[in-house]
Amino acid sequence: MKGHFGNYGGQFVPETLMHPLEELEAAYFEAQRDPRFQAELDELLRTYSGRPTPLYFAERLTKTWGGAKIYLKREDLNHTGAHKINNCLGQGLLARRMGKTRIIAETGAGQHGVATATVCARLGIDCDVYMGEEDIRRQELNVFRMKLLGARVIPVSAGSKTLKDAINESMRDWVTNVRTTYYMLGSVLGPHPYPVMVRDFQSVIGRETRAQILQQERRLPDLLLACVGGGSNSIGLFYDFVGEKQVRMIGVEAGGRGPMLGDHAARFAGGRPGVLHGTFSYILQDEDGQVMPTHSVSAGLDYPSVGPEHAALHDIGRVEYTNVNDAEALDAFHELSHLEGIIPALESAHAVAYAKKLKLPADQIVVVNVSGRGDKDVTEVMRLISHKKAQNSEENPF
Amino acid sequence: MTRIESKFARLQAEGRKGFIPYITAGDPSLDVTLELVLALDKSGVDVIELGMPFSDPIADGPVIQRATERALSNHVTLRKVLHLCEKIRKQSDVPLILFSYFNPLLNYGLEELARDAAKAGFDGVLASDLTVEESDTFVRTMRNAGLNTIFLVAPTSSPQRMKKIGEASNGFLYAVSRTGVTGEQQELAGELKQFLQTLRSHATSPIAVGFGISRPEHVRAVWQEADAAIVGSSIVREIEQHIGKPDLVQRVAAFTGWLKGCPSQ
């Protein structure tokens, strides 16, 4: 059996996709062994995306919180403003190597869509991005950005009109146009080999972090913190440290509006193992095995399943998973902006919020992954603030 | 021998080809589905695929997606579909396949499902996103309960995969006529003949062809190359167009008769 992490992972897809998945697996493992492929990827990561991204000591945040030393891994400083480009450059080079003439992708927050459109522009490959109508509303800036980059954004009106439905539509497109089209999946999700491949492309985050913290602190960190939607930025940070038993790792899911099924995207708090989008992992589902709608203030965490490797790391207890609600994430969004001059993505704000909640002692070192920048969220936050003000003025007319 | 196996044996003995309609259970309601199954049986179809809806039907085109949404908004559950099967069995012996995605089946529990589906009167089970690689427990559990396990085989499947899928399938093999999702089309893929010839040399079960079969001439073309034709979307569309009308069941039965080439019905 291929592509399993403990009991999780695997390949659960319509038979038509098995041949392309086998082809993809072979092409990926061959590329991975090819030094020229790696050299070209490294060069693009350096000169095009701006890697290595800094590991920044957040002095004012640390002082204000009065506890552990907080370091921020600045994935937000990547080209296109998030860690997503690490994976897209890798897969883009792979698609070109495989002779594919068209790339499709799904996007939730729009960060993966923008990174895909960017890489397609850079490599001269046609690009179609599927995006739920609800996400298009929340992320109109990224929609325009993708169009500027020459991609076609295809709205998805089925189901909950979010990331899950965009993935359904991408898989339908792929199954239909499988001979010419490359499916650039944006997270450590889906059938094998995607969870392995995307993790490998993202693991540069953890490798850099290790070298940087050793240089700055002369020791490994006590804790790594990252938000978990599909789970690519977190696995990217964690992977290089999985063997370091003294390094604690926590993944932060979206607690949304509250603990009721349908109000959050905390798969490890409210989900059960099941099969969605080609892989066996934790899923938010009802008692009949129907996948449930999710809610989060951040589109990038608003997804009912989670990468299968996270499911395995959860079950063996190597990584702890917790969640942070919308309000706490918004507070952290403001706090990081005010104290450090860094506007984080709402996704990343979940990890920041939990760093504050933990109240670790001053002799500890924490690395928080700032997986993306918050420019894309500014209009949505503005809307939420004016909505809240309107509510408050109704409650307190004087 | 299941009802599916004896049906294909009889078809072969009589030199006939099979016709297999797909309908989604609970579209537009479980009561109408019961009537539809009985009417389709009466009109002479050979096997019926009864769809258990799933929230994320990645292998289906827009027509069956809409049927799925209608059924789920009617709160159709696997338990209710099993109950429907029991009701059908009081009045009909038509071979029945439980057709779904893997998650609702897995969620029910494979042991429990095998027991309850066999007891309710199903003859076979198919999950469109279950690959042979992941199917060992599923195949063993269903077969122990006396159910057929049917798998999809695609034009993109390699000869080795065809062989593996042939071994995992009994009753019949579901050959997908083309790459893509379920849905109607004007012309059948020209490479179908070649694909089925290759498939024949790697598998022994009867072969039924589905995906895109939406006209009488498609059915006849499939009959030339395979043992049975499977029609889903165009029948589901016929249901959709007559929702709320008193003659829905008769219309769908007549449409099915037309597809099979029996204009008199």
Side-chain angles (χ1 to χ4, degrees):
Chain A
M1 299 237 281
K2 278 189 305 190
H4 286 80
F5 307 92
N7 290 327
Y8 302 99
Q11 294 174 306
F12 297 86
V13 291
E15 173 60 22
T16 309
L17 289 182
M18 283 308 287
H19 177 68
L21 286 172
E22 284 171 350
E23 220 178 43
L24 177 62
E25 186 191 20
Y28 171 60
F29 287 128
E30 190 217 0
Q32 211 190 15
R33 286 192 305 268
D34 179 354
R36 279 172 312 174
F37 177 86
Q38 289 303 332
E40 190 177 5
L41 177 57
D42 289 347
E43 179 67 8
L44 279 174
L45 286 171
R46 194 172 64 83
T47 60
Y48 189 67
S49 188
R51 299 206 75 90
T53 59
L55 182 68
Y56 165 74
F57 174 51
E59 200 182 338
R60 293 193 70 213
L61 205 60
T62 299
K63 208 171 270 173
T64 308
W65 290 353
K69 283 178 93 168
I70 308 289
Y71 281 86
L72 304 177
K73 179 60 175 164
R74 298 292 309 275
E75 288 301 296
D76 59 315
L77 292 176
N78 269 303
H79 181 39
T80 75
H83 70 292
K84 294 291 185 184
I85 191 101
N86 303 333
N87 169 46
C88 290
L89 282 170
Q91 287 201 53
L93 291 179
L94 186 62
R96 193 182 63 185
R97 191 184 168 98
M98 292 172 76
K100 302 291 181 182
T101 55
R102 174 177 177 252
I103 286 178
I104 56 168
E106 81 294 334
T107 196
Q111 291 305 93
H112 175 57
V114 168
T116 303
T118 300
V119 169
C120 286
R122 170 64 182 74
L123 298 177
I125 300 178
D126 286 346
C127 179
D128 287 334
V129 179
Y130 288 95
M131 190 168 185
E133 280 180 347
E134 170 64 13
D135 290 336
I136 288 180
R137 186 193 63 72
R138 287 192 284 193
Q139 305 288 346
E140 58 177 355
L141 199 60
N142 271 344
V143 174
F144 184 60
R145 219 171 254 151
M146 285 183 266
K147 288 178 181 167
L148 278 178
L149 292 160
R152 202 156 61 110
V153 179
I154 306 173
V156 178
S157 60
S160 58
K161 304 176 176 51
T162 60
L163 178 59
K164 157 181 107 82
D165 310 284
I167 296 182
N168 288 344
E169 219 42 54
S170 304
M171 291 186 98
R172 290 182 189 119
D173 182 316
W174 197 32
V175 91
T176 308
N177 302 299
V178 67
R179 289 183 174 103
T180 56
T181 298
Y182 184 95
Y183 179 21
M184 193 180 283
L185 222 156
S187 193
V188 286
L189 295 165
H192 177 70
Y194 285 105
V196 170
M197 182 168 68
V198 178
R199 176 253 278 153
D200 290 351
F201 288 136
Q202 292 295 358
S203 61
V204 64
I205 303 173
R207 284 196 304 276
E208 284 178 8
T209 301
R210 176 194 288 268
Q212 289 165 326
I213 199 76
L214 285 177
Q215 202 192 12
Q216 294 175 54
E217 290 284 347
R218 314 233 165 268
R219 71 173 182 91
L220 292 179
D222 299 287
L223 173 67
L224 303 176
L225 266 173
C227 65
V228 185
S232 70
N233 89 81
S234 47
I235 214 85
L237 176 65
F238 297 164
Y239 189 61
D240 202 59
F241 295 90
V242 168
E244 307 285 358
K245 295 284 180 265
Q246 74 274 30
V247 180
R248 188 178 169 200
M249 305 191 272
I250 302 178
V252 186
E253 298 183 285
R257 291 182 288 248
M260 288 270 289
L261 200 57
D263 281 348
H264 63 85
R267 290 67 46 102
F268 291 115
R272 282 180 287 124
V275 170
L276 179 67
H277 294 147
T279 192
F280 183 59
S281 186
Y282 279 73
I283 296 179
L284 290 166
Q285 52 185 328
D286 68 13
E287 56 185 19
D288 299 311
Q290 304 295 348
V291 178
M292 289 298 285
T294 50
H295 165 82
S296 169
V297 68
S298 74
L301 303 183
D302 204 351
Y303 179 69
S305 183
V306 60
E309 192 164 10
H310 284 288
L313 290 167
H314 169 269
D315 283 12
I316 61 170
R318 179 63 189 96
V319 178
E320 299 158 56
Y321 294 86
T322 183
N323 61 80
V324 148
N325 68 30
D326 285 353
E328 293 166 321
L330 280 164
D331 285 348
F333 178 88
H334 288 289
E335 195 163 18
L336 192 59
S337 303
H338 283 193
L339 289 175
E340 297 287 352
I342 296 170
I343 302 175
L346 281 174
E347 291 78 11
S348 321
H350 283 71
V352 176
Y354 198 70
K356 181 179 187 179
K357 251 175 129 170
L358 264 178
K359 294 195 173 57
L360 289 174
D363 62 345
Q364 302 242 308
I365 297 171
V366 178
V367 174
V368 182
N369 200 15
V370 179
S371 53
R373 67 176 182 226
D375 304 44
K376 68 179 175 66
D377 295 313
V378 165
T379 43
E380 178 68 4
V381 171
M382 212 160 71
R383 192 183 69 82
L384 288 170
I385 291 172
S386 58
H387 184 68
K388 205 172 159 189
K389 271 188 186 153
Q391 272 188 336
N392 286 349
S393 63
E394 271 168 35
E395 283 161 19
N396 305 304
F398 306 106
Chain B
M1 234 189 197
T2 65
R3 292 183 192 86
I4 297 169
E5 287 162 335
S6 30
K7 170 60 82 173
F8 274 99
R10 207 175 321 138
L11 285 172
Q12 203 176 14
E14 292 168 7
R16 286 198 300 123
K17 302 290 183 169
F19 185 89
I20 306 177
Y22 164 93
I23 55 174
T24 301
D27 170 35
S29 72
L30 286 164
D31 289 342
V32 173
T33 305
L34 173 63
E35 285 181 55
L36 277 169
V37 168
L38 297 176
L40 288 170
D41 180 24
K42 213 181 245 172
S43 81
V45 305
D46 298 290
V47 176
I48 295 173
E49 293 179 351
L50 207 50
M52 161 64 209
F54 176 51
S55 53
D56 294 83
I58 55 169
D60 286 302
V63 175
I64 295 182
Q65 284 179 51
R66 289 198 298 272
T68 296
E69 282 177 18
R70 287 192 294 272
L72 287 177
S73 67
N74 290 336
H75 307 290
V76 168
T77 64
L78 187 45
R79 211 167 287 283
K80 289 181 189 170
V81 174
L82 293 169
H83 185 60
L84 169 67
C85 181
E86 278 171 23
K87 280 192 183 168
I88 294 169
R89 278 290 168 253
K90 287 182 184 147
Q91 299 177 66
S92 162
D93 251 334
V94 66
L96 285 171
I97 296 168
L98 177 63
F99 196 107
S100 191
Y101 287 81
F102 194 44
N103 198 55
L105 308 183
L106 188 66
N107 176 74
Y108 191 91
L110 293 183
E111 288 284 348
E112 293 79 358
L113 174 68
R115 181 194 65 208
D116 295 353
K119 203 171 129 213
F122 274 111
D123 304 290
V125 192
L126 190 162
S128 24
D129 58 347
L130 182 62
T131 54
V132 281
E133 280 78 2
E134 305 285 350
S135 69
D136 286 355
T137 312
F138 175 83
V139 168
R140 195 175 51 245
T141 313
M142 297 305 145
R143 288 196 186 175
N144 281 345
L147 293 162
N148 286 137
T149 52
I150 297 143
F151 285 84
L152 267 60
V153 57
T156 52
S157 306
S158 62
Q160 291 130 297
R161 295 194 60 80
M162 288 182 181
K163 198 158 171 282
K164 270 199 265 180
I165 294 166
E167 283 160 10
S169 303
N170 62 3
F172 66 91
L173 260 171
Y174 189 135
V176 174
S177 72
R178 53 169 161 84
T179 61
V181 293
T182 59
E184 299 137 283
Q185 64 185 2
Q186 290 305 314
E187 302 275 328
L188 271 187
E191 57 216 30
L192 181 64
K193 192 171 177 172
Q194 179 61 48
F195 163 45
L196 293 177
Q197 272 171 5
T198 317
L199 183 57
R200 284 254 188 249
S201 63
H202 291 94
T204 51
S205 294
I207 296 169
V209 176
F211 281 42
I213 318 293
S214 54
R215 303 189 51 79
E217 55 268 34
H218 297 161
V219 173
R220 283 197 295 278
V222 165
W223 280 349
Q224 299 219 324
E225 312 292 337
D227 303 294
I230 302 169
V231 182
S233 296
S234 67
I235 293 175
V236 173
R237 184 192 292 280
E238 194 67 16
I239 294 173
E240 181 175 55
Q241 282 169 352
H242 295 96
I243 288 176
K245 293 180 189 161
D247 59 347
L248 180 148
V249 174
Q250 292 89 316
R251 290 292 194 108
V252 174
F255 180 75
T256 310
W258 173 72
L259 284 171
K260 283 167 56 195
C262 323
S264 60
Q265 288 177 334

